[in-house]
Amino acid sequence: MPELILVVLRVVAEALAYANPFAWAQRRRRQQRLRRLARGETALVPCDVRDARLTGGQWKNGYLAVGPHPAAWQEKGGGQQTLDPWPPLLPVSADEISVAFRSQSGETEIRLHPDEAPSVLRALGKTGH
């Protein structure tokens, strides 16, 4: 009987790992943001930013507020700051979890989810390029 309980617990654990409710919730929030952006509304896109002017050259976790207005950086727990114009960003690395972009000078870098990269790059391009 103890072996059967262990087998049932293992099956349940593997099923939960496969279902990954945390990833499901993240995917749902990301889809909601993409729908807001498609409608022309503002969305706070989670990302990491490193910029000399915005973050003192350190990597910071926060959000890019993108939409019909100039894009703005918002550090978690802080206020919004604009960087106008954003420098042109070139892709430097990508995988299924994140894509990274860097300016030619190397002073500005962002990392975000690949699904949201096109919307963010369009919004950053509206700020002066």
Side-chain angles (χ1 to χ4, degrees), residues 11-27:
V11 168
V12 169
E14 287 182 17
L16 286 175
Y18 179 76
N20 195 350
F22 180 71
W24 178 82
Q26 282 185 322
R27 188 171 39 255

Side-chain angles (χ1 to χ4, degrees), residues 85-103:
W86 282 79
L89 298 171
L90 306 169
V92 291
S93 68
D95 58 32
E96 58 276 347
I97 297 172
S98 70
V99 61
F101 297 90
R102 181 182 304 140
S103 64

Side-chain angles (χ1 to χ4, degrees), residues 59-76:
W59 280 105
K60 300 284 181 163
N61 188 265
Y63 306 93
L64 279 173
V66 295
H69 51 75
W73 162 249
Q74 180 177 335
E75 188 175 339
K76 284 191 175 178

Side-chain angles (χ1 to χ4, degrees), residues 22-103:
F22 180 71
W24 178 82
Q26 282 185 322
R27 188 171 39 255
R28 180 180 153 100
R29 285 191 298 270
R30 189 170 44 257
Q31 289 169 346
Q32 289 172 340
R33 285 191 299 272
L34 290 171
R35 282 192 296 270
R36 278 196 297 271
L37 290 170
R39 291 189 304 260
E41 300 171 4
T42 299
L44 292 176
V45 178
C47 65
D48 298 323
V49 171
R50 184 186 65 80
D51 180 81
R53 293 170 284 177
L54 294 177
T55 66
Q58 302 296 312
W59 280 105
K60 300 284 181 163
N61 188 265
Y63 306 93
L64 279 173
V66 295
H69 51 75
W73 162 249
Q74 180 177 335
E75 188 175 339
K76 284 191 175 178
Q80 288 188 354
Q81 304 174 43
T82 58
L83 179 61
D84 196 14
W86 282 79
L89 298 171
L90 306 169
V92 291
S93 68
D95 58 32
E96 58 276 347
I97 297 172
S98 70
V99 61
F101 297 90
R102 181 182 304 140
S103 64

